Amino acid sequence: MSYTEARIQYAEEEGAVRVADEPMVEAIGLEKSYGPVKVLAGVDLNVARGSVFSLLGPNGAGKTTTVRILSTLVRADAGRVRVAGFDVVRDRRAVRRRISLTGQYAALDEEQTGEENLRMMARLSGLSRRGARERAGELLERFDLTGAARRRVGTYSGGMRRRLDIAAGLVGRPEVVFLDEPTTGLDPRSRQGMWELVASLAGAGTTVFLTTQYLEEADRLADRVALLDAGRVVAEGTPADLKRRIAGRRLDLTLADPAAYARVAERLGDIAVLHDPDRLLLGVPTDGSAAHVRALLDGVDPDRDAVDRFAVYEATLDDVFLALTGRTATVAAGGDAETSATAREETARV
């Protein structure tokens, strides 16, 4: 018996847990490869009912593949997944009736109006004509789209399309909503509106599974965060817990010249959580106290000739990701293997 199989068996034996305590999304030992590319290498996830859970990671880390598996679109090579209490393989239809998936780009009929799109989705969900009309009206009002209800979707802004796309996914009142990078390509105002929308979904009791590259987004919205890197979860916890792992604040040092930057970077070694040679900037964890900041400065610049200026900032999730992976969450070393591999599989399937 493999390690993953043993963990699945243990989870099944522990299945006497009360249903009310059962997570809405549970994954154990997920593995997935596309040809020679290992996209997921043993991913465990546990998402509480009515919470916002955010999966962070650089391009190619495995975020989209994870969402595809959780939402029944792709079958994992190994591992087990339960969503809303149902196995995604054995009970795929039951899972699909309880979830909504919104991808990175709106999936709407641009020749129809916003109202027509929602009524069509409602009819496909089994509602009567009257029920579809009423449900469309409810969602248009909730998503502040009543004024544009009879406009062709092709005339909508990016933010309006994203709101309508999510509204379409809520026609069937899903228990779990998967949002795969929902604010990609949106301007700051539209992104802020989307954040408010996600918060309102969770406030109404819907479980939201959010993937994003925007660390501020996860910091603002998520009850819990998992950091995915190279197909593995490298850290999980509340945003505050993760930031406390590397210290509550960060001391940024701007060095006088490239030679001073190299010298201080060597002295800091693995302590530094931020490296920006273009701006001659290094960042190190600190508790923010004057005594600790002075001790750090004395240690890295005893001759007072290397540091040009310094500043103390609150630690961010970006600092956490840098500390754990050695790079930012928006850049993946070696390119986006997940995207290209997934695209090859989808092309082959067609």
Side-chain angles (χ1 to χ4, degrees):
M1 180 182 296
S2 70
Y3 176 61
T4 295
E5 290 171 338
R7 288 155 64 200
I8 292 173
Q9 179 177 321
Y10 174 79
E12 291 172 345
E13 291 172 352
E14 293 295 307
V17 178
R18 296 189 308 276
V19 172
D21 295 332
E22 185 177 37
M24 285 300 285
V25 179
E26 181 187 36
I28 301 174
L30 287 189
E31 297 181 16
K32 183 65 181 178
S33 297
Y34 293 109
V37 180
K38 188 80 167 180
V39 178
L40 300 179
V43 170
D44 295 343
L45 297 171
N46 192 298
V47 181
R49 186 183 301 269
S51 67
V52 178
F53 184 93
S54 183
L55 188 63
L56 296 178
N59 290 329
K63 301 188 304 297
T64 296
T65 295
T66 300
V67 169
R68 285 170 173 258
I69 292 172
L70 298 178
S71 58
T72 78
L73 296 180
V74 171
R75 183 174 294 193
D77 297 334
R80 191 195 76 172
V81 179
R82 291 177 65 84
V83 174
F86 295 91
D87 186 279
V88 298
V89 176
R90 294 196 305 266
D91 308 308
R92 186 169 67 170
R93 289 186 178 181
V95 171
R96 288 186 171 183
R97 286 196 297 268
R98 290 162 174 80
I99 68 171
S100 169
L101 170 62
T102 299
Q104 298 178 27
Y105 305 100
L108 302 165
D109 186 339
E110 296 193 354
E111 297 303 316
Q112 291 188 326
T113 66
E115 182 180 22
E116 288 170 341
N117 268 274
L118 293 181
R119 290 174 66 176
M120 176 183 68
M121 292 301 298
R123 292 288 285 157
L124 290 173
S125 298
L127 295 182
S128 65
R129 290 183 183 277
R130 179 178 178 179
R133 185 172 59 253
E134 291 177 350
R135 183 61 174 154
E138 292 171 5
L139 290 168
L140 288 166
E141 182 175 357
R142 179 179 179 182
F143 286 78
D144 195 24
L145 291 169
T146 303
R150 299 188 178 180
R151 277 174 46 192
R152 191 169 57 85
V153 171
T155 67
Y156 282 19
S157 67
M160 293 169 67
R161 291 186 189 204
R162 299 302 287 159
R163 297 205 306 275
L164 182 63
D165 197 25
I166 294 176
L170 296 178
V171 163
R173 294 182 171 84
E175 297 177 48
V176 183
V177 174
F178 292 98
L179 300 178
D180 188 16
E181 302 193 15
T183 60
T184 295
L186 296 187
D187 60 73
R189 176 175 292 182
S190 297
R191 184 172 296 145
Q192 179 67 40
M194 190 61 61
W195 290 354
E196 294 171 358
L197 174 57
V198 171
S200 71
L201 287 175
T206 303
T207 302
V208 179
F209 190 104
L210 170 72
T211 73
T212 181
Q213 295 185 51
Y214 300 109
L215 296 161
E216 180 188 4
E217 191 163 276
D219 210 351
R220 287 276 299 273
L221 297 174
D223 298 299
R224 291 187 67 81
V225 171
L227 300 182
L228 192 66
D229 188 39
R232 296 182 182 276
V233 175
V234 296
E236 183 178 350
T238 67
D241 288 341
L242 292 176
K243 286 182 283 189
R244 277 195 293 269
R245 286 181 58 172
I246 65 159
R249 298 182 180 181
R250 188 187 75 217
L251 173 65
D252 282 3
L253 308 172
T254 301
L255 286 306
D257 52 52
Y261 176 90
R263 188 166 65 252
V264 172
E266 184 177 3
R267 286 174 181 166
L268 289 172
D270 294 337
I271 297 175
V273 296
L274 173 64
H275 297 264
D276 190 341
D278 293 333
R279 293 189 294 163
L280 301 178
L281 184 65
L282 291 166
V284 294
T286 177
D287 61 13
S289 67
H292 191 240
V293 169
R294 173 52 57 194
L296 286 170
L297 291 172
D298 288 342
V300 301
D301 189 16
D303 297 326
R304 304 290 193 274
D305 60 356
V307 176
D308 184 55
R309 59 185 182 275
F310 65 90
V312 177
Y313 296 94
E314 293 293 326
T316 67
L317 287 180
D318 202 16
D319 297 320
V320 176
F321 204 90
L322 279 164
L324 294 173
T325 70
R327 51 199 169 105
T328 65
T330 55
V331 179
D336 192 345
E338 176 193 14
T339 301
S340 59
T342 305
R344 286 197 299 272
E345 182 184 84
E346 293 301 318
T347 302
R349 189 176 298 162
V350 173

